[in-house]
């Protein structure tokens, strides 16, 4: 499923089987999650996609071919692929262990073809073995929704009372992580979104309300997954003195002006950019042992546009996952 122009529907195409270059592997895709970032790519919210591009960066599949110089992972290994497809390894950020800020990166499904397809190529150094995760559909959202949630949680530091704004794919995973870690979760949904609120309660949130409401007590930290700039001052008003607001999205509408008193008393606003491989290694070790229940809706690959529309219009609860025809049989 290929994006040729921003804002247009994806087109279904048949292409020759891709051949891995030096340092790459080819993956037979079993499932590919749909992330809100995919929606931003398709809708034109993110600048300069490498058009035409195959979206999709929550890939789970089986390695079926190795490029020159690659010895691992071995063919037959189930692996995951995330947003960060490749880094230069030489810029100051790579040199300082901040590869998520690399000056010359490639991003899966944005500047490097992704997983809305039967097969995908990937840099062998940027795939994650998934030996402990046996359900490809359930594992796919972990590759970004789970990973970005994990990085956001690290940015929230030792917060015990955590607000999650926007209860979609990432928040429904992170809520379970927080409960497992004995943190208290406060879930903020679209006002009146009863399905998301019911899911949040089911997953252990201690308080559930609309994003226009205040929690029953000040939060230690708030994590924003909804791409709505107006939620930043709302979250600042909800956190305690010295609290932190973490913006987890790659795109957000403009943040409106707000009174300085909301930021005063050493409150902070920080953003989380991309992911590093160490985030994936850390989180996937955790996910292989923690009791995370995935709430997914599977769509045939050919129905990618319908899945994107359901995400865009708020008709999804949990995560959407595309399944290629070869994997569905």
């Amino acid at each position: 499923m290929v994006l040729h122009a921003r804002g247009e529907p994806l087109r279904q195409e048949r292409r020759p089987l891709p051949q891995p270059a030096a340092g790459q592997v080819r993956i037979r895709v079993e499932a590919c999650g749909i992330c809100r970032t995919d929606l931003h790519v398709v809708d034109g919210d993110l600048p300069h996609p490498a058009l035409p591009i195959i979206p999709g960066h929550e890939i789970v599949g089986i390695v079926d071919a190795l490029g020159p110089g690659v010895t691992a992972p071995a063919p037959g290994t189930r692996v995951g692929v995330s947003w960060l497809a490749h880094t230069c390894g030489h810029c100051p950020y790579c040199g300082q262990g901040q590869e998520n800020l690399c000056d010359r990166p490639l991003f899966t499904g944005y500047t490097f073809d992704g997983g809305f397809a039967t097969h995908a190529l990937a840099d062998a150094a940027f795939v994650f073995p998934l030996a402990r995760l046996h359900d490809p559909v359930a594992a796919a959202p972990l590759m970004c929704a789970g990973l970005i949630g994990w990085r956001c949680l690290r940015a929230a530091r030792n917060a015990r009372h955590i607000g999650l704004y926007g209860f979609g794919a990432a928040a429904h995973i992170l809520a379970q992580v927080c409960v497992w870690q004995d943190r208290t979760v406060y879930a903020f949904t679209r006002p009146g979104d009863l399905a998301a609120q019911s899911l949040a309660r089911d997953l252990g949130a201690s308080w559930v309300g609309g994003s226009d409401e205040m929690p029953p007590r000040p939060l230690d930290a708030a994590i924003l997954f909804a791409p709505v700039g107006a939620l930043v001052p709302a979250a600042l008003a909800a956190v305690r003195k010295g609290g932190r607001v973490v913006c987890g999205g790659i795109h957000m509408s403009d943040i409106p002006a707000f009174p300085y008193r909301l930021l005063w008393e050493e409150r902070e606003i920080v953003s989380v950019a991309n992911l590093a491989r160490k985030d994936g290694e850390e989180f996937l070790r955790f996910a292989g042992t923690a009791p995370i229940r995935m709430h997914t809706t599977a769509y045939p690959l050919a129905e990618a546009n319908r899945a994107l529309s359901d995400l865009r219009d708020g008709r999804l609860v949990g995560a959407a996952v595309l399944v290629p025809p070869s994997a569905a049989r």
Side-chain angles (χ1 to χ4, degrees), residues 92-209:
Y93 296 103
C94 287
Q96 294 168 11
Q98 296 175 291
E99 66 179 9
N100 61 305
L101 301 180
C102 175
D103 283 334
R104 292 176 291 279
L106 292 175
F107 296 114
T108 312
Y110 181 45
T111 58
F112 187 86
D113 277 338
F116 289 10
T118 60
H119 295 78
L121 300 179
D123 186 324
F126 284 78
V127 301
F128 299 100
L130 300 179
R132 292 185 175 183
L133 301 174
H134 305 295
D135 181 346
V137 172
L142 298 177
M143 300 314 302
C144 186
L147 295 184
I148 200 68
W150 183 260
R151 190 171 179 90
C152 287
L153 186 60
R154 289 175 57 202
R157 299 180 297 202
N158 60 349
R160 306 308 304 172
H161 295 268
I162 297 182
L164 304 180
Y165 284 76
F167 208 83
H172 102 278
I173 297 170
L174 187 59
Q176 297 176 72
V177 172
C178 290
V179 170
W180 178 252
Q181 294 181 337
D182 200 28
R183 305 180 195 235
T184 304
V185 175
Y186 304 76
F188 298 80
T189 73
R190 295 183 186 189
D193 190 341
L194 300 182
Q197 292 179 5
S198 176
L199 177 60
R201 291 190 186 93
D202 183 53
L203 296 178
S206 295
W207 177 90
V208 177

Side-chain angles (χ1 to χ4, degrees), residues 6 15 23 44 52 60 71 119 161 164 175 179 188 209 212 220-221 251 263 285 289 311 316 319:
R6 293 185 293 170
R15 294 181 174 182
V60 173
T71 57
H119 295 78
H161 295 268
L164 304 180
V179 170
F188 298 80
D212 56 349
D220 297 326
H251 170 79
L263 186 62
R285 280 197 302 269
T289 57
L311 176 59
L316 278 169

Side-chain angles (χ1 to χ4, degrees), residues 1 10 34 116 299-310 322:
M1 300 298 292
L10 305 181
I34 296 183
F116 289 10
Y299 297 78
L301 176 62
E303 296 184 19
N305 288 311
R306 179 168 69 90
L308 287 164
S309 179
D310 287 348
L322 296 181

